[in-house]
Amino acid sequence: MMYDRVGALPASRTDFVLESIKEAILYGKLKPGQALVETDLAATLNVSKTPVREALKTLAGSGLVVMSPYKGATVRTVDAEMASSVYDVRMLMEPEALRRSVALGADFAEARSALDDTSDLARRSLANRRFHRALYAGCGNPLMVQILDGLRDQAALITVAGWGISPTWDAEDAEHRAILVAAEEGFGDAAADLLRRHIQTFADRVVEELPDVVR
């Protein structure tokens, strides 16, 4: 296996391959810029090349993999331009989605559960994804949820890159807890403002520390 699995087993072989490669990328076992050779991945995962090929296409669509007619598939390299684009959209949408979730009386139990699942880097990354999704999932706008879900993989890749430069998860955990308290107590505007500042603080640091766009 290329990594230790976190969470439930996938439902099918195709899902297994997709989640295996995705988590290996997000947890740093497959490095930015690394070539993703179908035959090697198939041998590692003990599957044929077909589910590997399909998984790489899906991961290219979600922004974790880059497909080139000359280089083939490679793990996406995180740069300042990518981080700025992803976090710009999150800044616009995620706080408003949280404000709406609070107004609709959404249940934030999943967000609270995610706060305690941070024993190692792999779990921190997964828990961070769970926490943020739990904040906006109850906003009442399926399209808004779909758009934010579409950014989750790229956001996770940026987060892990940022932690690799400077681990700030203790400060982020405190910010998460303050956001959740405001949301659970029904203060939607305050929760949205705290979330906006949380996203902006991380984005400012990461964009400044990451390299400029890689060609």
Side-chain angles (χ1 to χ4, degrees):
M1 295 295 296
M2 62 172 68
Y3 68 93
D4 297 323
R5 286 205 56 82
V6 177
L9 291 174
S12 69
R13 179 168 296 185
T14 299
D15 290 339
F16 164 73
V17 172
L18 176 63
E19 293 303 316
S20 294
I21 299 173
K22 177 192 292 188
E23 292 186 17
I25 292 172
L26 294 179
Y27 303 156
K29 295 184 182 296
L30 294 172
K31 305 296 183 182
Q34 181 174 339
L36 299 171
V37 182
E38 290 180 10
T39 52
D40 293 346
L41 292 171
T44 299
L45 296 169
N46 195 29
V47 297
S48 70
K49 291 197 299 181
T50 299
V52 172
R53 186 177 302 116
E54 292 305 311
L56 292 178
K57 290 179 182 177
T58 300
L59 292 169
S62 68
L64 291 185
V65 168
V66 176
M67 307 289 284
S68 167
Y70 305 107
K71 296 181 179 180
T74 57
V75 178
R76 182 163 189 173
T77 299
V78 177
D79 55 53
E81 182 180 73
M82 171 196 175
S84 181
S85 296
V86 169
Y87 275 80
D88 187 34
V89 177
R90 289 187 65 195
M91 279 284 297
L92 290 171
M93 297 188 64
E94 199 168 322
E96 174 59 20
L98 172 58
R99 189 191 66 76
R100 295 185 184 193
S101 293
V102 174
L104 291 172
D107 182 358
F108 296 105
E110 176 69 10
R112 182 156 294 281
S113 173
L115 291 177
D116 299 321
D117 194 13
T118 57
S119 57
D120 55 36
L121 179 59
R123 289 192 177 276
R124 285 183 188 276
S125 178
L126 185 63
N128 189 64
R129 287 160 60 91
R130 287 173 53 211
F131 177 82
H132 279 274
R133 191 181 194 281
L135 296 181
Y136 65 73
C139 70
N141 185 325
L143 181 57
M144 186 177 285
V145 173
Q146 181 182 0
I147 292 170
L148 288 170
D149 278 352
L151 296 174
R152 292 176 77 206
D153 288 346
Q154 293 183 66
L157 191 62
I158 296 164
T159 298
V160 172
W163 287 346
I165 296 170
S166 176
T168 56
W169 45 68
D170 287 337
E172 291 163 35
D173 180 67
E175 292 169 4
H176 283 175
R177 292 178 187 277
I179 292 164
L180 184 57
V181 167
E184 288 181 327
E185 292 184 354
F187 299 116
D189 290 342
D193 185 58
L194 288 169
L195 178 57
R196 186 177 294 105
R197 281 187 278 168
H198 167 69
I199 296 171
Q200 184 70 68
T201 298
F202 187 83
D204 287 346
R205 179 178 68 81
V206 170
V207 169
E208 181 178 347
E209 293 174 343
L210 285 171
D212 290 334
V213 62
V214 177
R215 299 299 183 187

